[in-house]
C-alpha cells in the first residue's frame, strides 16, 4: 500500500495525474484492508488523493477527499489539535484554487491562530503558510498586506534554506507579482 501511495506522489510530481490517481486509489484500497477504514494513515492518503484531484481541476472530488480525511482525523482528534493543521491548510488551498477567496481567507485566519500557538511565529511552517496567505491576498489585489507577509516568508525561508534554494522561488514569484502590480 505504501509503495503504491509513494508511486502516486511520484507520478503527481511528474504531472502524470491519471497514473497518480490510479496508484493512490489502489494504495488506499490496500491500506484500508491492512489497517482499518478510519486509520489516520488513511486520512493522509485521502489528503494525497485530494491534492491529485485538485491538480486535475476536479475540485468537487478534491473537496470530498479532504472532507473524508478530516472526518477520519476528527474521530481521534479535536478541531484545535496541531495534527489537523495541514488538513485545514489543504482545504484553504483548495478554496483558493476554486477562487472562493472569502471562504479561503476564513480558513487561513482560523488556522493561523492554531499554527502560531502550535509552531510559533518564527517557525518555517508558519512562514510557508503566511506565503500562501500572501498569494491569496495577491489574487485579491491586496498588495500591501501581501507584501508584508511575503517579505516575512522570504526572510524565514532564506534563513533556513539559503537564498538560492528552489523552495524559496515560489515566494519570490509572489513578491514579483506584487511588485509588478504596484508598478515597482
Amino acid at each position: 500500500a505504501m509503495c503504491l501511495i509513494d508511486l502516486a506522489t511520484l507520478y503527481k510530481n511528474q504531472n502524470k495525474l491519471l497514473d497518480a490517481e490510479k496508484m493512490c486509489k489502489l494504495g488506499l484500497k490496500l491500506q484500508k484492508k491492512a489497517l482499518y477504514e478510519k486509520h489516520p494513515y488513511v486520512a493522509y492518503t485521502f489528503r494525497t488523493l485530494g491534492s491529485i484531484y485538485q491538480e486535475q481541476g476536479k475540485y468537487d472530488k478534491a473537496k470530498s477527499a479532504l472532507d473524508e480525511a478530516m472526518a477520519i482525523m476528527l474521530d481521534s482528534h479535536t478541531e484545535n489539535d496541531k495534527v489537523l493543521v495541514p488538513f485545514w491548510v489543504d482545504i484553504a488551498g483548495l478554496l483558493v484554487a476554486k477562487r472562493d477567496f472569502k471562504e479561503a481567507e476564513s480558513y487561513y485566519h482560523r488556522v493561523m491562530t492554531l499554527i502560531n500557538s502550535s509552531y510559533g511565529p518564527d517557525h518555517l511552517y508558519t512562514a510557508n503558510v503566511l506565503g500562501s496567505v500572501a498569494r491569496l491576498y495577491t489574487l485579491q489585489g491586496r498588495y500591501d498586506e501581501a507584501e508584508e507577509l511575503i517579505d516575512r516568508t522570504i526572510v524565514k525561508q532564506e534563513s533556513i534554506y539559503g537564498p538560492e534554494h528552489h523552495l524559496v522561488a515560489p515566494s519570490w514569484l509572489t513578491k514579483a507579482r506584487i511588485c509588478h502590480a504596484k508598478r515597482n
Side-chain angles (χ1 to χ4, degrees):
M2 295 308 298
C3 289
L4 289 168
I5 295 163
D6 287 346
L7 190 55
T9 301
L10 175 65
Y11 284 154
K12 178 183 175 248
N13 292 338
Q14 293 175 335
N15 207 33
K16 297 177 181 177
L17 299 175
L18 292 176
D19 292 331
E21 179 184 350
K22 181 180 175 183
M23 293 301 111
C24 194
K25 285 179 175 179
L26 287 170
L28 185 61
K29 184 177 178 179
L30 285 175
Q31 196 175 47
K32 286 180 178 181
K33 279 184 178 181
L35 303 170
Y36 55 91
E37 291 277 328
K38 301 247 180 212
H39 192 283
Y41 286 177
V42 173
Y44 282 95
T45 303
F46 271 114
R47 272 187 71 216
T48 300
L49 184 59
S51 71
I52 293 166
Y53 285 142
Q54 183 174 332
E55 288 290 318
Q56 292 173 325
K58 298 176 181 176
Y59 299 134
D60 290 337
K61 285 186 172 189
K63 179 75 167 83
S64 293
L66 290 174
D67 286 346
E68 183 68 27
M70 186 62 79
I72 292 169
M73 294 303 288
L74 287 172
D75 276 351
S76 56
H77 301 282
T78 65
E79 279 192 9
N80 293 326
D81 193 319
K82 172 181 169 175
V83 75
L84 292 178
V85 167
F87 295 85
W88 295 118
V89 169
D90 285 356
I91 292 170
L94 175 61
L95 291 166
V96 171
K98 290 175 64 174
R99 304 196 67 80
D100 187 349
F101 298 146
K102 184 175 179 154
E103 188 71 15
E105 185 173 359
S106 172
Y107 270 86
Y108 278 129
H109 281 300
R110 177 182 182 183
V111 81
M112 283 312 301
T113 302
L114 185 55
I115 289 171
N116 280 317
S117 67
S118 299
Y119 296 93
D122 294 324
H123 195 279
L124 177 61
Y125 188 71
T126 306
N128 289 341
V129 176
L130 285 177
S132 296
V133 176
R135 284 186 279 287
L136 169 63
Y137 287 171
T138 301
L139 291 168
Q140 293 175 308
R142 297 163 59 184
Y143 302 115
D144 291 333
E145 293 169 274
E147 189 167 30
E148 177 191 338
L149 295 179
I150 205 63
D151 287 345
R152 287 173 49 196
T153 298
I154 290 169
V155 166
K156 178 51 72 177
Q157 288 176 336
E158 286 187 347
S159 75
I160 300 291
Y161 299 128
E164 303 296 322
H165 198 280
H166 73 278
L167 292 176
V168 184
S171 297
W172 276 111
L173 290 171
T174 299
K175 176 73 173 187
R177 287 183 191 99
I178 294 166
C179 291
H180 181 268
K182 292 173 80 174
R183 303 201 186 284
N184 182 358

